[in-house]
Amino acid sequence: LRLYEMFLGPVEQSKPWDTKGIDGVNRFLKKFWRLFYDSDRCLVEDGEPSAEELKVLHRLIGKEEADILSFSFNTTISAFMIAVNELTALGCHKKAILEQLVILLSPFAPHICEELWERLAHSGSVSFAPFPEYVEAYTVEDSCTYAVSFNGKTRFTLDLPKSLSREEVEKNVRELPQTAKYVGGQTIVKVIVVPGKIVNIVIR
């Protein structure tokens, strides 16, 4: 109920009451719980978080920090729902990530977070745990989307690491099955690479 009331919208505005919304928040909390448990089986594991998991976590930390200052609790909860979906898709059960999530959610859903905090072998209340520190470096996108064109006409897009050189980008594009399809029996005359944006293959 506490979480639902904050999820309804900006605190200073009047909002319609809809019990379907309570069901949605309840489903979110169950999904959050399933990051930790499958029935009675604990899923929490040690291990270093991946770059993608850290990106999800720190995007959420940054969002919550800003939203709490402006009392925009509803948008924090929306961001939390997105983060839980992303971590579920990643199969994340890392203790280093989940502990921080418990702290982040505790102002909104204190009861479930106190329970999980104790199950994670912590003594004392989660409300005394320090707020996670936001690290911007974890949220920096390390890939970019290239529009791949043939004689100036875009045919598909490709995500590649930003760190690749022009030569490496060209090599990746040349090796794609889609490239072979659009080149057909023609000859590649030139490949123009605009870093981070476009690859144009000139054929004849």
Side-chain angles (χ1 to χ4, degrees):
L1 178 61
R2 175 189 175 98
L3 191 66
Y4 173 60
E5 287 183 326
M6 288 188 282
F7 181 56
L8 279 172
V11 291
E12 72 278 6
Q13 296 180 12
S14 59
K15 297 166 282 286
W17 182 264
D18 185 354
T19 54
K20 291 179 181 177
I22 298 178
D23 292 337
V25 167
N26 185 45
R27 286 194 299 273
F28 158 68
L29 287 175
K30 287 180 177 178
K31 194 166 191 176
F32 176 69
W33 183 270
R34 287 197 295 272
L35 290 174
F36 300 79
Y37 284 91
D38 178 11
S39 297
D40 293 329
R41 184 169 65 92
C42 181
L43 302 174
V44 181
E45 59 190 18
D46 294 323
E48 288 298 316
S50 68
E52 197 60 36
E53 291 165 347
L54 287 168
K55 183 188 296 184
V56 173
L57 172 64
H58 284 269
R59 275 202 307 245
L60 180 60
I61 295 171
K63 178 68 174 166
E64 185 168 329
E65 278 185 346
D67 286 350
I68 285 179
L69 290 174
S70 62
F71 297 96
S72 302
F73 306 133
N74 59 309
T75 56
T76 297
I77 296 167
S78 295
F80 227 111
M81 291 176 173
I82 293 169
V84 167
N85 285 339
E86 290 175 338
L87 291 172
T88 299
L90 291 169
C92 177
H93 303 291
K94 308 279 179 55
K95 186 176 182 180
I97 298 291
L98 299 185
E99 278 187 334
Q100 304 303 301
L101 290 183
V102 172
I103 297 170
L104 290 169
L105 189 61
S106 62
F108 304 92
H111 302 88
I112 191 173
C113 290
E114 290 289 358
E115 177 69 22
L116 287 168
W117 192 246
E118 183 177 328
R119 292 188 183 210
L120 289 170
H122 291 284
S123 59
S125 171
V126 67
S127 61
F128 294 111
F131 192 85
E133 181 181 352
Y134 171 64
V135 180
E136 185 179 6
Y138 288 134
T139 65
V140 175
E141 293 293 336
D142 57 0
S143 66
C144 52
T145 302
Y146 282 88
V148 182
S149 304
F150 296 82
N151 290 344
K153 189 168 185 179
T154 301
R155 295 297 188 178
F156 59 88
T157 60
L158 177 66
D159 290 332
L160 290 172
K162 287 183 177 179
S163 58
L164 294 185
S165 65
R166 280 186 169 88
E167 292 74 20
E168 289 170 325
V169 170
E170 178 179 338
K171 181 175 182 293
N172 274 272
V173 173
R174 280 180 177 270
E175 292 174 351
L176 291 172
Q178 299 101 305
T179 299
K181 171 187 170 184
Y182 288 110
V183 170
Q186 301 179 83
T187 302
I188 296 177
V189 178
K190 185 192 299 184
V191 178
I192 302 167
V193 177
V194 180
K197 295 182 179 180
I198 299 168
V199 178
N200 183 41
I201 299 175
V202 180
I203 54 178
R204 69 180 179 193

